[in-house]
Amino acid sequence: MIKGKKTLMPDALIDKTEPSFNAEPVLDALIVGAGFSGMYQLICLRDRLGLSAKVLEAGSGVGGTWYWNRYPGARCDSESHVYWYTFDKKLMQDWDWSERYPEQPEILRYLNFVADRYDLRRDIRFNTRVVRADYDAAANLWRVRTEAGELYSARFLITAVGCLSTANVPNFPGLEQFKGDWYHTGQWPHEGVDFTGKRVGMIGTGSTGIQAAPVIAKTAAHLTVFQRTANYSVPARNVPLTPEFKRWIKENAEEIRSLTHETQNGQSFRIETRKALETSPEEREKIYEAAWERGGLQFRAVFEDMMSSKAANDTAADFVRRKIRSIVKDQATAAILSDIDHPYAGKRPPIDTDYFETFNRPNVSLVDVKAAPIECITADGIRTAAAEYPLDIIVFATGFDAMTGPLMAMNIHGRGGEALRESWNAGPRNYLGLQVSGFPNLFMITGPGSPSVLCNMPVAIEQHADWITDCIAHMRANGLDRIEAQQEAMDSWIEKVNQAAAATLLSTVPHSWYLGGNVPGKPRVFMPYAGGMANYRRICDDVAAAGYPGFEMSASERVAAE
Ligand code: NA7
């Protein structure tokens, strides 16, 4: 135990032997990552259960995704009144968002406000990257090593490393000879980047590139957008929140929270029950037009069959393509932007502020790198199969090794030294997205196999952290200190994850990061659980209520002997 630190962990569960390599006292729980999930998990375990818990965080501050992604235009696509913690009624009353979609600096301020309010920093070790974690079966402890060589031991290891935190910088030949500056959007310099008077090249047109391009174009001398796969986007229609709306949030905070627990996407809007294919073309057009005007992710929710029927989806896809062609004045550019090869929202659907309008600026041009791929980076810019583009700055808006990347980077080894990397070499496998057979006492927050990125993240995060907390409380109450997902439970869960994906159009887009399609060599497996957040919550609750079937719980020998 940490000297002088109160813990409620029963003596029987405490490892009293100091392992030879261990420099730190044994903790009840070690959490990796101090973003939305790690911060809340710390509150749950330390303040609710009274455990000794610490967080290791690679960054120098809290925030996770919102600490790293400081690129111009970075903003949340969920609306602010559902993008926060809801575990504390008073906290919801004490924070005001300023805009419909909170911008990165405001979210980071919010997370710092939460860290201050619950005095979290005293148990977070910053600038500390985990480079290896081993399960020590004899001691029933996780042994964790950091980049600086520090060693930690803990009964439970909880990964709160985010889904989109391992930057994917494509391996273009010649990057090292580029004379200008280059940046990945997910590792943006804290001091910002001055684009004034610069020739900027931006690779990537996912949610990030679509947010960044309009902002970069405002100050750059010229912005060249290198597009491989054309993408849909719907206007966000961001606005400052009125005093009336802010009051409405406070007065209805509990009802909004309940609604986010009932919907399949953790949002405060429901997916309509009407079907696109049973709606007349005129009526459909009106519905899409109204959704386009309202803006935001809700566009996806206007027809029940949009994500399950290709024919229904085609009506939405056709609407957005027509919008792109009506906004973008240069017909050649409009044709490249609207030549989209996948269903609407088959990849994560971006929302934007003036993205397509940006291509009407005289200082912005589009390069189709599907037609003429990028061959290399030269000292002076980017060379494609068709031309060379001289640049001062290159922005990689090229996404992430999503979901599994951050877990693999921790170099996790389970029982008998089995590496997670090996165990998952054909794609991630787990039970309920929470635990992997062979890796006792390891819990994953919003990892593969859970709704995670298909849900409004704070809703998914609170559900996971609460479930893990209740599970650990149950174990403590029953004198148990070891939990491991059973192989059969894992196999049948993965079947459910695959079935859920196959029932939607999400699994039909080979280049989507949901499927690992954006990282060369990554197994093509649909990673998140697409069966809906409300359904998933029910499944997890039922498992807990039934005494955790599918998990094997036990008392390690020392505990059993007492
Ligand atoms: P995404 O959605 O993975 O988008 C990355 C973009 O970068 C996408 O347009 C890719 O094209 C492009 N890309 C990646 N590698 C290359 C290479 N080698 N050449 C050319 N273009 C490339 O990442 P984002 O950061 O935009 O968004 C991630 C999530 O953050 C988002 O979904 C939200 O949940 C928040 P491709 O489509 O693969 O052809």
Side-chain angles (χ1 to χ4, degrees):
M1 288 291 102
I2 295 176
K3 220 169 165 207
K5 189 166 167 31
K6 186 168 169 272
T7 177
L8 300 184
M9 182 67 112
D11 256 356
L13 299 187
I14 299 168
D15 188 316
K16 299 192 184 82
T17 56
E18 282 290 323
S20 56
F21 66 86
N22 190 28
E24 284 268 338
V26 173
L27 296 160
D28 297 330
L30 191 62
I31 300 160
V32 186
F36 253 103
S37 40
M39 288 170 63
Y40 180 51
Q41 189 68 80
L42 178 61
I43 293 170
C44 291
L45 296 181
R46 186 191 70 180
D47 302 343
R48 214 175 279 169
L49 296 192
L51 303 190
S52 65
K54 268 202 185 301
V55 180
L56 304 182
E57 165 56 52
S60 63
V62 298
T65 288
W66 301 106
Y67 170 92
W68 297 103
N69 282 269
R70 297 169 188 245
Y71 61 86
R75 193 181 284 284
C76 184
D77 287 347
S78 285
E79 298 191 36
S80 53
H81 64 281
V82 292
Y83 201 79
W84 59 356
Y85 293 114
T86 63
F87 66 89
D88 180 344
K89 289 182 188 173
K90 183 88 173 43
L91 176 63
M92 289 194 281
Q93 294 302 320
D94 291 349
W95 180 261
D96 274 313
W97 292 113
S98 67
E99 293 180 279
R100 180 175 175 188
Y101 305 94
E103 215 179 354
Q104 177 270 335
E106 190 172 24
I107 303 174
L108 198 54
R109 273 201 302 282
Y110 170 69
L111 290 170
N112 276 286
F113 168 77
V114 172
D116 289 342
R117 186 177 175 119
Y118 299 94
D119 193 13
L120 299 184
R121 285 192 195 79
R122 72 183 150 93
D123 286 307
I124 304 175
R125 183 76 67 96
F126 294 106
N127 304 306
T128 302
R129 184 178 293 280
V130 169
V131 292
R132 185 163 176 127
D134 292 88
Y135 176 68
D136 175 346
N140 186 31
L141 288 174
W142 279 93
R143 312 290 194 185
V144 174
R145 187 183 294 269
T146 72
E147 202 168 31
E150 292 171 323
L151 299 157
Y152 290 84
S153 297
R155 178 72 69 225
F156 295 102
L157 177 63
I158 302 169
T159 64
V161 287
C163 301
L164 300 161
S165 44
T166 304
N168 170 40
V169 180
N171 194 14
F172 295 123
L175 182 56
E176 67 292 343
Q177 43 168 311
F178 181 56
K179 286 192 295 204
D181 296 317
W182 68 268
Y183 309 94
H184 186 280
T185 50
Q187 296 171 338
W188 204 255
H190 289 202
E191 63 281 11
V193 175
D194 184 4
F195 294 106
T196 314
K198 306 283 189 194
R199 297 162 304 173
V200 182
M202 188 188 77
I203 305 172
T205 53
S207 294
T208 299
I210 281 176
Q211 286 186 338
V215 184
I216 296 174
K218 281 184 188 155
T219 52
H222 192 90
L223 170 66
T224 308
V225 176
F226 294 84
Q227 171 192 287
R228 186 165 67 182
T229 306
N231 212 343
Y232 303 94
S233 185
V234 166
R237 310 262 182 235
N238 186 42
V239 283
L241 297 183
T242 62
E244 294 74 38
F245 192 81
K246 288 183 190 177
R247 202 171 328 114
W248 177 84
I249 296 171
K250 304 275 189 232
E251 287 169 4
N252 295 282
E254 278 304 301
E255 288 76 8
I256 297 168
R257 175 183 204 255
S258 303
L259 189 53
T260 62
H261 285 202
E262 287 165 26
T263 57
Q264 299 298 2
N265 47 23
Q267 298 286 355
S268 60
F269 56 81
R270 294 182 193 278
I271 297 170
E272 302 282 350
T273 50
R274 68 188 164 214
K275 292 189 176 1
L277 295 180
E278 292 170 5
T279 307
S280 71
E282 299 73 31
E283 184 58 21
R284 223 164 37 207
E285 191 73 6
K286 271 194 216 147
I287 290 167
Y288 284 138
E289 196 63 55
W292 182 269
E293 281 312 308
R294 185 177 52 230
L297 293 173
Q298 208 167 339
F299 189 89
R300 188 177 38 169
V302 295
F303 289 114
E304 188 261 347
D305 50 352
M306 197 193 286
M307 294 313 298
S308 55
S309 153
K310 173 73 167 56
N313 189 284
D314 283 347
T315 65
D318 172 63
F319 179 88
V320 180
R321 287 196 192 99
R322 278 188 280 123
K323 282 289 182 193
I324 298 170
R325 289 195 289 266
S326 75
I327 295 169
V328 180
K329 296 197 174 103
D330 177 69
Q331 285 312 296
T333 304
I336 298 168
L337 286 168
S338 59
D339 183 18
I340 309 174
D341 66 0
H342 54 279
Y344 172 71
K347 294 173 92 164
R348 163 68 156 70
I351 61 173
D352 71 274
T353 300
D354 296 336
Y355 176 62
F356 295 115
E357 290 81 351
T358 294
F359 291 94
N360 293 333
R361 295 177 64 111
N363 70 331
V364 176
S365 49
L366 180 69
V367 173
D368 179 358
V369 297
K370 184 165 263 173
I374 296 174
E375 287 186 338
C376 63
I377 313 281
T378 66
D380 300 313
I382 293 178
R383 186 188 302 152
T384 72
E388 178 153 358
Y389 300 87
L391 300 166
D392 303 306
I393 295 176
I394 299 175
V395 174
F396 288 92
T398 43
F400 303 89
D401 181 356
M403 307 197 77
T404 50
L407 294 167
M408 298 306 192
M410 286 171 57
N411 204 5
I412 300 172
H413 295 253
R415 198 161 13 83
E418 182 187 10
L420 185 66
R421 189 175 287 282
E422 284 305 310
S423 174
W424 282 8
N425 65 4
R429 299 182 69 78
N430 56 24
Y431 179 39
L432 296 177
L434 285 160
Q435 270 223 318
V436 184
S437 174
F439 296 79
N441 292 356
L442 170 68
F443 289 106
M444 296 172 177
I445 302 183
T446 65
S450 74
S452 59
V453 290
L454 300 179
C455 176
N456 176 32
M457 286 307 288
V459 173
I461 286 165
E462 285 192 332
Q463 185 266 341
H464 258 184
D466 285 339
W467 193 96
I468 292 166
T469 306
D470 291 347
C471 177
I472 292 176
H474 167 90
M475 292 173 68
R476 283 159 41 78
N478 290 282
L480 304 166
D481 68 349
R482 191 177 166 289
I483 175 169
E484 181 178 348
Q486 292 172 316
Q487 186 68 47
E488 314 76 65
M490 204 162 83
D491 293 344
S492 80
W493 179 247
I494 292 306
E495 219 166 281
K496 287 198 176 72
V497 171
N498 292 339
Q499 281 164 2
T504 75
L505 297 172
L506 294 170
S507 57
T508 66
V509 187
H511 42 66
S512 133
W513 60 256
Y514 295 149
L515 257 162
N518 64 326
V519 175
K522 191 167 172 171
R524 301 296 188 255
V525 171
F526 193 85
M527 294 183 284
Y529 173 66
M533 185 63 213
N535 293 340
Y536 175 79
R537 183 187 296 276
R538 212 169 303 121
I539 295 168
C540 291
D541 287 352
D542 288 350
V543 167
Y548 300 93
F551 294 98
E552 193 181 294
M553 291 190 189
S554 59
S556 57
E557 265 177 53
R558 192 167 21 78
V559 181
E562 296 220 354

